[in-house]
Short mmCIF file of all heavy atoms in Angstrom, two decimals:
data_model
loop_
_atom_site.label_atom_id
_atom_site.label_comp_id
_atom_site.label_asym_id
_atom_site.label_seq_id
_atom_site.Cartn_x
_atom_site.Cartn_y
_atom_site.Cartn_z
N ASN Q 15 96.94 85.44 98.79
CA ASN Q 15 97.47 86.17 99.90
C ASN Q 15 98.55 85.51 100.69
O ASN Q 15 98.33 84.34 101.12
CB ASN Q 15 96.40 86.79 100.82
CG ASN Q 15 95.46 87.56 100.11
OD1 ASN Q 15 95.67 88.80 99.91
ND2 ASN Q 15 94.24 87.08 99.68
N GLY Q 16 99.66 86.16 100.97
CA GLY Q 16 100.77 85.56 101.63
C GLY Q 16 100.68 85.78 103.21
O GLY Q 16 99.66 86.08 103.74
N PRO Q 17 102.01 85.55 103.80
CA PRO Q 17 102.14 85.48 105.21
C PRO Q 17 101.64 86.68 106.07
O PRO Q 17 101.97 87.77 105.64
CB PRO Q 17 103.64 85.16 105.41
CG PRO Q 17 104.27 85.71 104.17
CD PRO Q 17 103.26 85.34 103.02
N ASN Q 18 100.98 86.39 107.08
CA ASN Q 18 100.59 87.33 108.18
C ASN Q 18 99.40 88.12 107.70
O ASN Q 18 98.79 88.82 108.51
CB ASN Q 18 101.66 88.28 108.53
CG ASN Q 18 102.80 87.53 109.14
OD1 ASN Q 18 102.66 86.73 110.16
ND2 ASN Q 18 104.04 87.62 108.65
N LEU Q 19 98.86 88.10 106.53
CA LEU Q 19 97.66 88.92 106.03
C LEU Q 19 96.52 88.27 106.75
O LEU Q 19 95.47 89.03 106.78
CB LEU Q 19 97.66 88.80 104.54
CG LEU Q 19 98.68 89.69 103.80
CD1 LEU Q 19 98.79 89.32 102.33
CD2 LEU Q 19 98.40 91.15 104.04
N ASN Q 20 96.58 87.15 107.26
CA ASN Q 20 95.38 86.59 108.04
C ASN Q 20 95.10 87.43 109.34
O ASN Q 20 94.12 87.43 109.93
CB ASN Q 20 95.51 85.12 108.44
CG ASN Q 20 96.83 84.85 109.16
OD1 ASN Q 20 97.91 85.21 108.65
ND2 ASN Q 20 96.89 84.14 110.23
N GLN Q 57 94.47 82.42 101.52
CA GLN Q 57 95.59 82.99 102.20
C GLN Q 57 96.36 81.89 102.84
O GLN Q 57 95.80 80.88 103.30
CB GLN Q 57 95.13 83.94 103.33
CG GLN Q 57 96.27 84.67 104.05
CD GLN Q 57 96.88 83.85 105.15
OE1 GLN Q 57 96.26 82.98 105.92
NE2 GLN Q 57 98.16 84.08 105.52
N THR Q 58 97.75 82.00 102.80
CA THR Q 58 98.58 81.02 103.36
C THR Q 58 99.78 81.67 103.93
O THR Q 58 100.24 82.79 103.45
CB THR Q 58 99.13 80.02 102.33
OG1 THR Q 58 99.96 78.97 103.11
CG2 THR Q 58 99.85 80.57 101.20
N ASN Q 59 100.39 81.04 104.98
CA ASN Q 59 101.59 81.67 105.47
C ASN Q 59 102.88 80.83 105.01
O ASN Q 59 104.06 81.23 105.47
CB ASN Q 59 101.53 81.52 107.07
CG ASN Q 59 100.57 82.37 107.71
OD1 ASN Q 59 100.45 83.50 107.23
ND2 ASN Q 59 99.83 81.95 108.76
N HIS Q 60 102.63 80.05 103.98
CA HIS Q 60 103.70 79.14 103.41
C HIS Q 60 104.03 79.42 102.06
O HIS Q 60 103.26 79.43 101.19
CB HIS Q 60 103.22 77.72 103.73
CG HIS Q 60 102.83 77.43 105.13
ND1 HIS Q 60 103.89 77.20 106.14
CD2 HIS Q 60 101.78 77.45 105.71
CE1 HIS Q 60 103.23 77.04 107.29
NE2 HIS Q 60 101.89 77.16 107.07
N GLU Q 61 105.39 79.62 101.81
CA GLU Q 61 105.86 79.96 100.50
C GLU Q 61 105.49 78.93 99.45
O GLU Q 61 105.03 79.26 98.32
CB GLU Q 61 107.32 80.18 100.54
CG GLU Q 61 108.03 80.66 99.32
CD GLU Q 61 109.52 80.85 99.48
OE1 GLU Q 61 110.09 80.43 100.56
OE2 GLU Q 61 110.09 81.45 98.68
N TYR Q 86 107.15 87.67 101.22
CA TYR Q 86 107.80 86.84 100.20
C TYR Q 86 107.97 87.66 98.88
O TYR Q 86 108.85 87.18 98.10
CB TYR Q 86 107.04 85.67 99.92
CG TYR Q 86 106.91 84.52 101.13
CD1 TYR Q 86 105.79 83.93 101.47
CD2 TYR Q 86 108.12 84.17 101.79
CE1 TYR Q 86 105.84 82.92 102.40
CE2 TYR Q 86 108.12 83.36 102.77
CZ TYR Q 86 106.90 82.69 103.06
OH TYR Q 86 106.88 81.85 104.06
#
Side-chain angles (χ1 to χ4, degrees):
N15 296 281
N18 299 304
L19 287 165
N20 54 310
Q57 188 275 334
T58 178
N59 293 322
H60 304 282
E61 182 178 14
Y86 291 137

